Amino acid sequence: AQKITQTQPGMFVQEKEAVTLDCTYDTSDQSYGLFWYKQPSSGEMIFLIYQGSYDEQNATEGRYSLNFQKARKSANLVISASQLGDSAMYFCAMRASGGYQKVTFGIGTKLQVIP
Amino acid sequence: GAGVSQSPRYKVAKRGQDVALRCDPISGHVSLFWYQQALGQGPEFLTYFQNEAQLDKSGLPSDRFFAERPEGSVSTLKIQRTQQEDSAVYLCASSLGVHFTGELFFGEGSRLTVL
């Protein structure tokens, strides 16, 4: 079974500062992918970044980077230079190679960027 | 179409009514997922299709929920005899292949309110 844990219900960050959103996961599969999605108040889920379990380097996509620590089973999202438009719900998710590869989501973290 | 399309965007049903929610995935996408997202929660897996085959329906909460994808493209999620606890946003997502590295592309969701 797969499990995603996000322990921060809400986070505040000052505009232009960096923020880290925590995510830990649990799986017995050796091969898996980790994803972060953003969900603004409008409701659509927007893909942000992907990290594969065998990737040796941390993934980066523009202002987003993923701090992947495999031994600790953590996949924290770092947003640099926060913008007001970053205010949204953020979901960590995992897709494992076993079973039918369903994607499991965490409960989410609500990020609010303060001007 | 360019993205995943869901209809209706909003549905109000009286308790006991049947509802049908439609998902039109990105053309050529093999994998299709249905998720249920209650207010303030993360998406919860309902069911997974690989082309027309429903390979995982372990997340369907009761036998009142039924999903199909008869020709491997458009999918319909049907809820019979709706109950108030069925009120949620139903998200459809598709991905190109079946590999765990593939990101999910989401529709805007169908918000169901059962009175």
Side-chain angles (χ1 to χ4, degrees), chain A residues 31-33 35 37 39 42-45 47 50 52-54 89 91 95-97 100-107, chain B residues 9 31 33 35 37 40-43 45 48 55-56 58 91 95 97-108:
Chain A
S31 301
Y32 50 88
F35 304 81
Y37 283 84
Q39 188 177 45
S42 53
E44 76 270 30
M45 296 282 279
F47 167 74
Y50 164 82
S53 58
Y54 291 113
M89 285 291 291
F91 293 97
R95 189 176 189 185
S97 61
Y100 294 117
Q101 303 190 28
K102 70 181 183 186
V103 179
T104 302
F105 286 81
I107 196 171
Chain B
R9 289 290 314 280
S31 295
F33 300 80
Y35 284 85
Q37 187 175 23
Q41 302 294 314
F45 172 80
Y48 165 65
L55 298 185
D56 189 346
S58 62
L91 295 168
S95 69
V98 302
H99 200 260
F100 66 87
T101 57
E103 73 188 78
L104 269 59
F105 295 84
F106 282 84
E108 293 181 305

Side-chain angles (χ1 to χ4, degrees), chain A residues 5-67:
Chain A
T5 302
Q6 294 181 256
T7 57
Q8 305 156 313
M11 291 282 286
F12 290 91
V13 63
Q14 204 77 36
E15 194 178 5
K16 300 180 184 178
E17 297 293 312
V19 63
T20 298
L21 306 183
D22 294 342
C23 171
T24 58
Y25 61 92
D26 191 22
T27 181
S28 56
D29 291 296
Q30 296 301 309
S31 301
Y32 50 88
L34 296 156
F35 304 81
W36 278 91
Y37 283 84
K38 171 184 178 181
Q39 188 177 45
S41 56
S42 53
E44 76 270 30
M45 296 282 279
I46 302 167
F47 167 74
L48 295 178
I49 194 167
Y50 164 82
Q51 178 84 42
S53 58
Y54 291 113
D55 294 340
E56 295 189 353
Q57 288 195 322
N58 287 342
T60 60
E61 287 286 350
R63 295 186 298 111
Y64 304 107
S65 60
L66 202 152
N67 184 0

Side-chain angles (χ1 to χ4, degrees), chain B residues 6-37:
Chain B
Q6 291 187 248
S7 61
R9 289 290 314 280
Y10 303 93
K11 175 69 178 178
V12 178
K14 291 183 179 179
R15 190 169 53 183
Q17 279 185 331
D18 297 348
V19 299
L21 308 177
R22 176 189 167 103
C23 173
D24 199 344
I26 295 173
S27 178
H29 277 199
V30 169
S31 295
L32 186 145
F33 300 80
W34 282 99
Y35 284 85
Q36 180 190 60
Q37 187 175 23

